[in-house]
């Protein structure tokens, strides 16, 4: 049955039923027209599946900023291909990614999930990612359309910005993706844009996205983002997620019958949904899912993920200590070394087959001794336990009868959107792994009425629901702990009633004072040839739903670095974070490796980069401020977040940052020769330049070209990635995009003239040309 015949065969209620989800990550089927249920999954850096916690084991890729630091569309496409295979293995039709909002300010909590602060770099990489997914028959969903650069009050705040800023920055990545890769779906954001909800913004959805750009795919809402019935249906939204329930369904049928929404509008929404279903094999010819795909822990996947991570890492500073000498005695220091953070928090979270710590990775790859020393505490909230085994979760009905029981790898599960949903009570228990009696912090995470049995003691607590805030319940649930003396083999059992969203059991060592941890680190550093201190952020800062209030490292990590640097012969700092942090110790250390959130192969990738087995040839995708005061604020005032800086975000508005966008040293040195440019219709079409690898190692260079117009902020207009053996020269041709050589003033106007900069980042400009020379 073709799409038009299918639409004509359904009555109004049947049509409208298909326009709201049937579950958290699924759509309704309709056997009468041969429509199967479409399955969706969050997936910017891993295909999680339908479970919010503890679901299917899947690859955890490096986070988006680390992938973007390759500046390589071919690698971005390969990432899309891996995710397509991961989706097919789970019979998922639609991946909810990539995230292509911009890094307007480094205080943004969700930046780890988005590529960069630059619209051209973001758009080009995202388009390649989309092609990698869709060429294998899996739909991509670029998100969140549009101006969704803040998590604070994200469901209610209005982003206030002029049309020039909206067009030249925040719409541009979506324009590039739609025109260059034709995504099959786009997700509309939570926020308002100039007072109008993004899910019902007729001008931006019908006018720009579907009209000007000719987008023929489906526009879905972010989860629970639809705020109206008729206004959203008339504004261009095609699918309200999730379901069942929400403001459509019966209310939308009534709106059509009342004449508030034309049935032709419903037909167009359904036409787009059926086209998505046809493209992904859920309508028309039945899809045959591939078999024998590489497992998440297969060697082919592990090799890809190590390469994705290590090659994107960025050398920010190096006084000759990197790569590490294989014979050096290394003191590896820091909580992030032994509890390496692989991914950020929120809807992007995935259950990995493993996470290799930096301690395990460096120890296994180093030929000399590596002493590992724990660091200071890095979390305010206690993480899910890692010293429990034989973990089991059980659900009960209101009469106390068992509904289901499962063995778990972690003592944490979703009470909403998973197998435990609807239970009257949930019990989580685990056996402690101890060699001798030890006092532990024992407790629980998540809203509800709790009872906890541990070490012969029983405790009760209530963690109250905070006004029904989804982010609070899922992403930052409250916790309660108490100290309990436990013996080997003791079991901790926690039961919760009135649970919502996320529940978990806590069992952690009692934190030691920072001075004790720093003292142990200093003693180890004095005995080593080189101290490698691993610091960073966690999913408390790198998370959906919440923004940062500071760029400072949490806890006493700065004090740890300073103390080690004062004691060690040489000091290398590895930063396990996706987004900028302050570095008050920068002048005291010999080298800094920016490691991002490296995914499941984290430790092996960091070790390969430190030892020089893989060149960490990444270039920064975000400008690093020197102080919190240099970062644009994110807190709405009176419900409005004003983008008063216009187009001058990131490097476009910076004057003296800690590190410029595009910065990265790699492991060799480069000399730039003469350069020339050509123009097309008065704008720069290409730049040609000779680059010579003047170092002793094979290297990868990212040749960047910027335009500094007269009277407008500087902007990236093109780049090229080139591999050059030691001592050799390459002629590099950089194609320059006309999309960023224009300005919006009641329509697009070409931007001619100005200065063209050929650079290794804006802090290291090698050649300057006048655009008029072409």
């Amino acid at each position: 049955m073709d799409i038009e015949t299918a639409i004509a065969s359904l009555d109004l209620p049947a049509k409208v039923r298909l326009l709201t989800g049937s579950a958290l990550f699924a759509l309704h089927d309709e056997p009468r027209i041969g429509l199967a249920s479409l399955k969706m999954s969050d997936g910017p850096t891993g295909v999680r599946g339908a479970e919010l916690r503890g679901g299917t084991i899947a690859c955890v890729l490096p986070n988006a900023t680390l992938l973007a630091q390759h500046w390589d569309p071919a690698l971005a496409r390969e990432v899309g291909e891996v995710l397509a295979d991961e989706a097919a293995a789970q019979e998922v039709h639609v991946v909810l990614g990539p995230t292509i909002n911009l890094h307007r300010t480094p205080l943004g909590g969700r930046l780890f999930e988005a590529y960069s602060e630059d619209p051209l770099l973001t758009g080009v990489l995202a388009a390649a990612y989309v092609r990698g997914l869709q060429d294998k028959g899996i739909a991509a969903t670029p998100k969140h359309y549009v101006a969704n650069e803040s998590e604070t009050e994200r469901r209610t705040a209005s982003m206030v910005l002029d049309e020039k800023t909206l067009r030249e920055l925040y719409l541009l990545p979506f324009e590039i993706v739609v025109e260059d890769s034709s995504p099959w779906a786009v997700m509309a954001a939570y926020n308002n844009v100039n007072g109008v909800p993004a899910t019902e913004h007729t001008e931006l959805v019908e006018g720009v996205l579907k009209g000007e750009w000719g987008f023929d795919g489906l526009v879905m809402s972010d989860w629970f983002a639809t705020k109206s019935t008729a206004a959203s249906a008339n504004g261009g939204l095609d699918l309200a997620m999730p379901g069942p329930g929400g403001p459509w369904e019966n209310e939308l049928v009534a709106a059509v019958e009342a004449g508030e929404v034309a049935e032709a509008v419903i037909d167009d929404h359904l036409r787009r949904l059926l086209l998505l279903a046809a493209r992904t094999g859920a309508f028309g010819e039945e899809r045959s899912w591939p078999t024998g795909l590489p497992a998440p822990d297969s060697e082919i996947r592990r090799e890809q993920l190590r390469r994705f991570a290590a090659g994107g890492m960025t050398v920010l500073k190096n006084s000759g200590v990197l790569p590490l000498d294989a014979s050096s005695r290394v003191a590896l220091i820091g909580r992030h070394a032994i509890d390496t953070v692989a991914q950020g928090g929120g809807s992007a979270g995935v259950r990995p087959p493993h996470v290799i710590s930096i301690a395990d990775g460096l120890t296994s790859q180093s030929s000399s001794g590596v002493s590992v020393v724990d660091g200071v505490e890095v979390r305010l909230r206690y993480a899910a336990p890692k010293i429990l085994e034989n973990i089991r979760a059980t659900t009960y009905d209101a009469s106390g009868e068992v509904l289901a029981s499962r063995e778990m790898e972690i003592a944490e599960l979703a009470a909403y959107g998973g197998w435990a949903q609807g239970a009257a009570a949930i019990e989580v228990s685990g056996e402690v792994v101890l060699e001798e009696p030890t006092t532990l912090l024992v407790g629980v995470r998540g809203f509800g009425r709790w009872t906890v049995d541990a070490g012969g003691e029983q405790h009760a607590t209530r963690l109250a629901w905070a006004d029904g805030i989804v982010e609070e319940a899922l992403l930052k649930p409250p916790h309660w702990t108490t100290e309990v003396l436990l013996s080997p083999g003791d079991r901790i059992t926690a039961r919760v009633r009135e649970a919502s969203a996320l529940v978990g059991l806590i069992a952690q060592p009692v934190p030691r004072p920072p001075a004790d941890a720093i003292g142990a680190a200093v003693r180890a550093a004095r005995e080593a040839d080189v101290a490698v201190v691993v610091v960073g952020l966690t999913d408390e800062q790198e998370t959906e739903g919440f923004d940062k209030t500071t760029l400072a490292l949490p806890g006493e990590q700065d004090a740890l670095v300073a103390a080690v640097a004062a004691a060690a012969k040489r000091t290398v700092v590895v930063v396990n974070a996706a987004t900028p942090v302050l570095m008050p110790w920068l002048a005291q250390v010999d080298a800094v490796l920016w490691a991002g959130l490296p995914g499941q192969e984290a430790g092996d990738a960091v070790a390969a980069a430190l030892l020089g087995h893989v060149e960490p040839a990444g270039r920064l995708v975000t400008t690093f401020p020197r102080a919190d005061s240099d970062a644009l604020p994110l807190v709405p005032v009176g419900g409005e977040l004003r983008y008063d800086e216009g187009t001058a975000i990131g490097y476009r508005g910076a004057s003296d940052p800690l590190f410029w966008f595009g910065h990265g040293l790699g492991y060799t040195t480069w000399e730039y020769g003469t350069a020339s440019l050509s123009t097309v219709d008065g704008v720069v079409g290409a730049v040609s330049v000779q680059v010579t690898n003047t170092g002793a190692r094979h290297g990868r260079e990212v040749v960047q070209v910027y335009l500094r117009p007269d009277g407008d902020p500087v902007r990236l207009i093109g780049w090229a990635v080139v591999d050059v053996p030691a001592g050799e020269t390459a002629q590099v041709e950089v194609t320059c995009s006309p999309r960023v050589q224009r300005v919006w003033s009641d329509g697009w106007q070409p931007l001619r003239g100005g200065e063209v900069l050929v650079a290794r980042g804006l802090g290291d400009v090698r050649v300057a040309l006048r655009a008029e020379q072409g």
Side-chain angles (χ1 to χ4, degrees):
M1 184 181 297
D2 64 29
I3 289 175
E4 297 305 322
T5 302
I7 293 172
S9 70
L10 298 177
D11 60 16
L12 178 63
K15 294 175 184 176
V16 170
R17 173 179 172 270
L18 298 177
L19 302 180
T20 296
S22 64
L24 195 58
F25 293 102
L27 305 187
H28 291 284
D29 64 357
E30 181 52 83
R32 288 179 293 172
I33 61 172
L35 175 65
S37 174
L38 272 83
K39 302 293 191 282
M40 300 182 177
S41 172
D42 282 309
T45 51
V47 182
R48 189 192 64 234
E51 297 279 344
L52 295 175
R53 291 290 190 277
T56 302
I57 292 175
C59 286
V60 176
L61 280 69
N63 78 288
T65 59
L66 184 50
L67 294 169
Q69 285 171 187
H70 287 265
W71 290 55
D72 187 351
L75 184 131
R77 182 182 184 121
E78 185 181 356
V79 168
E81 291 169 347
V82 170
L83 292 172
D85 285 349
E86 289 279 286
Q90 299 183 45
E91 299 189 2
V92 164
H93 302 84
V94 181
V95 167
L96 303 176
T99 301
I100 59 174
N101 302 111
L102 298 184
H103 296 191
R104 174 177 172 263
T105 164
L107 289 168
R110 205 173 184 179
L111 301 191
F112 73 93
E113 199 181 308
Y115 290 117
S116 80
E117 69 187 23
D118 183 78
L120 178 64
L121 180 63
T122 295
V124 169
L125 295 179
Y129 171 112
V130 169
R131 288 191 293 271
L133 272 167
Q134 294 189 168
D135 284 354
K136 290 195 167 191
I138 305 297
T141 314
K143 60 184 186 182
H144 310 82
Y145 189 79
V146 61
N148 184 218
E149 279 70 37
S150 168
E151 296 298 286
T152 304
E153 300 177 25
R154 63 175 181 166
R155 294 177 182 271
T156 58
S158 179
M159 308 300 139
V160 180
L161 65 170
D162 59 47
E163 192 166 9
K164 172 181 170 66
T165 302
L166 184 61
R167 290 279 188 166
E168 293 183 21
L169 285 188
Y170 301 103
L171 283 172
L172 184 54
F174 289 94
E175 179 182 357
I176 293 170
V177 168
V178 168
E179 293 183 349
D180 291 0
S181 64
S182 301
W184 298 340
V186 164
M187 183 184 293
Y190 287 121
N191 56 281
N192 298 343
V193 181
N194 293 325
V196 181
T199 50
E200 56 192 66
H201 208 300
T202 306
E203 178 185 353
L204 293 178
V205 178
E206 289 288 354
V208 176
L209 179 61
K210 294 181 177 180
E212 287 183 31
W213 302 341
F215 174 66
D216 69 352
L218 173 133
V219 178
M220 69 177 74
S221 72
D222 204 338
W223 268 228
F224 304 103
T226 310
K227 302 174 183 178
S228 64
T229 302
S232 56
N234 288 329
L237 187 69
D238 300 307
L239 175 67
M241 289 299 293
W248 281 16
E249 295 193 336
N250 294 337
E251 290 89 340
L252 186 52
V253 172
V256 175
E257 292 173 342
E260 298 171 5
V261 178
E263 189 163 356
V265 170
I266 303 300
D267 289 349
D268 183 64
H269 297 329
L270 184 54
R271 185 175 294 113
R272 290 172 179 268
L273 187 146
L274 293 178
L275 178 58
L276 173 65
R279 285 167 162 169
T280 57
F283 176 71
E285 184 176 350
E286 184 177 356
R287 178 170 194 145
S288 175
W289 296 101
T291 59
L293 294 169
D297 60 352
S298 64
E299 187 49 44
I300 186 173
R301 287 289 182 252
R302 297 190 66 185
E303 182 282 324
Q304 285 178 299
L305 270 55
R306 284 193 296 267
R307 175 165 46 85
F308 291 169
M313 293 177 186
T314 302
V315 180
L316 299 182
K317 177 180 180 178
N318 189 13
S319 301
V321 65
L322 292 180
L324 293 176
D325 188 322
S327 64
S328 294
R329 292 172 300 144
V330 175
L332 181 63
I333 297 164
R335 178 62 54 83
H336 283 265
I338 60 176
D339 186 12
T340 305
V341 178
Q343 57 182 322
S347 61
V350 177
R351 178 188 173 197
H354 55 254
V355 173
I356 298 175
S357 71
I358 294 172
D360 287 344
L362 189 59
T363 300
S364 67
Q365 293 189 40
S366 178
S367 60
S368 60
V370 177
S371 60
V372 180
V373 181
D374 195 4
V376 297
E377 293 293 324
V378 298
R379 295 179 183 270
L380 297 175
R381 305 189 311 276
Y382 296 99
K386 295 191 175 182
I387 56 173
L388 294 178
E389 62 182 18
N390 300 322
I391 301 168
R392 178 166 289 278
T394 305
T395 58
Y396 299 87
D397 65 16
S399 66
E401 294 294 319
V402 173
L403 294 171
S405 186
R406 292 188 182 184
E407 293 184 356
M408 307 284 286
E409 292 180 351
I410 61 172
E412 182 178 277
L413 70 154
Y416 173 78
W419 66 275
Q421 184 167 336
I426 301 171
E427 183 178 277
V428 187
S429 66
E431 182 181 323
V432 294
V433 180
L434 297 171
E435 295 182 356
E436 59 185 17
T438 305
T439 298
L440 297 179
L441 276 179
V442 172
V444 293
R445 300 175 71 218
F447 296 105
R449 294 180 180 271
W450 288 93
T451 58
V452 182
D453 290 290
E457 301 177 17
Q458 186 173 86
H459 307 269
T461 187
R462 183 182 184 188
L463 300 176
W465 174 253
D467 301 323
I469 301 173
V470 174
E471 281 83 1
E472 188 78 8
L474 260 180
L475 306 176
K476 195 184 286 186
H479 69 273
W480 169 91
T481 60
T482 188
E483 294 186 12
V484 179
L485 178 63
L486 294 169
S487 298
D490 279 354
R491 196 162 188 86
I492 305 170
T493 302
R495 182 180 286 210
V496 61
R497 294 181 179 275
E498 302 172 11
S500 59
L502 178 71
V503 298
L505 184 62
I506 294 170
Q508 297 284 357
V510 176
R512 60 176 173 166
D516 291 353
I518 292 173
V522 166
R523 289 190 293 274
R526 287 188 180 128
E527 298 299 319
D529 297 320
V530 59
V532 177
V533 189
V534 188
V535 296
L537 304 177
T538 73
D539 57 3
E540 293 180 6
Q541 296 86 31
E542 311 265 29
T543 185
E544 176 186 0
F546 301 91
D547 292 314
K548 307 181 191 75
T549 57
T550 178
L551 300 177
L553 289 167
E556 297 295 322
Q557 294 183 91
D558 287 333
L560 173 68
V561 174
V564 169
K569 298 179 183 69
R570 294 178 296 175
T571 303
V572 175
V573 177
V574 176
V575 186
N576 179 199
T579 50
V581 301
L582 305 182
M583 299 182 186
W585 34 259
L586 183 62
Q588 300 171 252
V589 305
D590 298 286
V592 179
L593 177 70
W594 189 260
L597 304 179
Q600 69 186 49
E601 307 302 320
D604 283 350
V606 170
L610 287 173
L611 295 168
H613 301 160
V614 175
E615 184 189 22
R619 302 294 187 265
L620 290 182
V621 294
T622 311
T623 300
F624 281 42
R626 291 186 179 274
D628 283 339
S629 58
D630 296 331
L632 292 169
L634 275 174
V635 179
V637 177
E640 292 186 343
L641 184 59
R642 304 191 67 86
Y643 287 28
D644 290 336
E645 71 284 351
T647 61
I649 68 167
Y651 70 85
R652 295 176 179 225
S655 57
D656 183 30
L658 187 65
F659 293 109
W660 283 98
F661 173 87
H663 172 71
L665 302 176
Y667 281 159
T668 188
T669 54
W670 298 91
E671 181 179 292
Y672 281 51
T674 57
S676 61
L677 63 82
S678 59
T679 60
V680 178
D681 296 329
V683 300
V684 181
V687 169
S688 180
V689 63
Q690 278 191 343
V691 295
T692 301
N693 180 349
T694 54
R697 297 173 60 98
H698 185 107
R700 167 167 283 206
E701 177 67 319
V702 180
V703 179
Q704 304 160 43
V705 177
Y706 298 84
L707 176 65
R708 180 176 282 134
D710 300 324
D712 220 58
V714 65
R715 76 277 314 277
L716 179 73
I717 62 173
W719 73 92
V721 179
V722 60
D723 290 284
V724 184
E728 295 192 10
T729 298
Q731 189 73 33
V732 181
E733 299 289 331
V734 181
T735 301
C736 299
S737 173
R739 286 179 168 129
V740 283
Q741 298 182 71
R742 56 183 184 172
V743 291
W744 183 268
S745 179
D746 295 324
W748 288 114
Q749 308 296 329
L751 189 60
R752 297 188 174 94
E755 191 175 30
V756 176
L757 309 175
V758 185
R760 305 190 71 240
L762 277 172
D764 188 4
V765 174
R766 296 299 180 93
V767 182
L769 304 166
R770 288 299 299 179
E772 290 86 353
Q773 289 179 348

